[in-house]
Amino acid sequence: MMQAHRQRGTPLAVMFLDIDHFKRINDSLGHAAGDELLRVLAERVHGVLRDNDVLARFGGDEFCVVASLNDNEEARHLAQRLLQRIKEPVVLAGRSIVMTSSIGISLFPKDGESCEELLKHADLALYQSRAAGATMPSSSARHSRPRPASNCNWRRSCAARCNGTRACCSTTSRFSIWATAR
């Protein structure tokens, strides 16, 4: 996937999504309700993404989306579409629940040229988004770039990190784009 984007000169987005306060759902409504919430939100996110985008659950309440882009701004639009779709209430155990989440975004090749770089910077952007706690996007500049890896298979990398789970979900009111200092 990355090699195709490198050859075409088109960007790729790596988004980490983390559900805020997910533990409260498990603690108050039980793990079955938490599992149902993850399933519903994963279906919503899947409905927003295109066939060639990659979805992966990285564990607990953290997920990854790898999306092909025509330009860098498309990542922000995709994040907004995800926000719009999944902020709709979910009925769990007879209760209507609205979840929030944080999104961290890194962009190929702007923010890295290897899987490891892009995953690392999306994770850092997610952390920054969580820390900001604001409803507006925040960004951070990165000052150094590790040596790029020669090849990356996103489907295999994501599947390896998430033990083969092919689900992704997000409910978010804020996101952060990791911006490269030039």
Side-chain angles (χ1 to χ4, degrees), residues 2-173:
M2 192 181 303
Q3 184 62 27
H5 283 270
R6 185 176 284 118
Q7 289 172 348
R8 288 191 309 260
T10 57
L12 182 74
V14 176
M15 299 181 179
F16 272 167
L17 306 108
D18 182 70
I19 300 170
D20 297 330
H21 312 294
F22 179 74
K23 185 178 182 320
R24 291 181 186 169
I25 298 297
N26 280 337
D27 290 348
S28 63
L29 301 177
H31 290 279
D35 291 347
E36 177 65 12
L37 176 64
L38 292 175
R39 188 191 61 73
V40 168
L41 296 177
E43 287 176 4
R44 290 181 182 182
V45 169
H46 184 266
V48 172
L49 300 176
R50 298 162 296 204
D51 290 339
N52 62 336
D53 295 336
V54 177
L55 308 171
R57 181 173 174 200
F58 274 46
D61 61 347
E62 190 168 281
F63 301 87
C64 182
V65 172
V66 180
S68 298
L69 306 173
N70 294 312
D71 58 58
N72 289 344
E73 190 60 25
E74 192 177 351
R76 184 179 303 270
H77 295 295
L78 175 58
Q80 291 293 347
R81 288 193 314 270
L82 290 169
L83 293 173
Q84 291 301 315
R85 178 63 181 108
I86 58 181
K87 73 179 182 180
E88 299 168 5
V90 177
V91 177
L92 294 174
R95 299 178 187 177
S96 181
I97 298 170
V98 176
M99 299 300 295
T100 62
S101 177
S102 304
I103 300 177
I105 303 170
S106 66
L107 302 169
F108 168 83
K110 183 178 179 182
D111 301 319
E113 295 185 12
S114 72
C115 295
E116 294 76 18
E117 287 179 292
L118 294 168
L119 291 168
K120 177 179 89 172
H121 291 116
D123 193 40
L124 290 169
L126 174 64
Y127 179 79
Q128 182 183 31
S129 180
R130 276 191 222 133
T135 58
M136 296 299 292
S138 61
S139 62
S140 172
R142 147 175 97 86
H143 302 290
S144 65
R145 177 181 279 175
R147 199 175 105 231
S150 60
N151 192 1
C152 180
N153 181 319
W154 282 108
R155 293 186 192 283
R156 187 176 31 207
S157 295
C158 288
R161 287 245 355 231
C162 63
N163 298 321
T165 303
R166 302 260 311 145
C168 178
C169 87
S170 158
T171 56
T172 179
S173 58

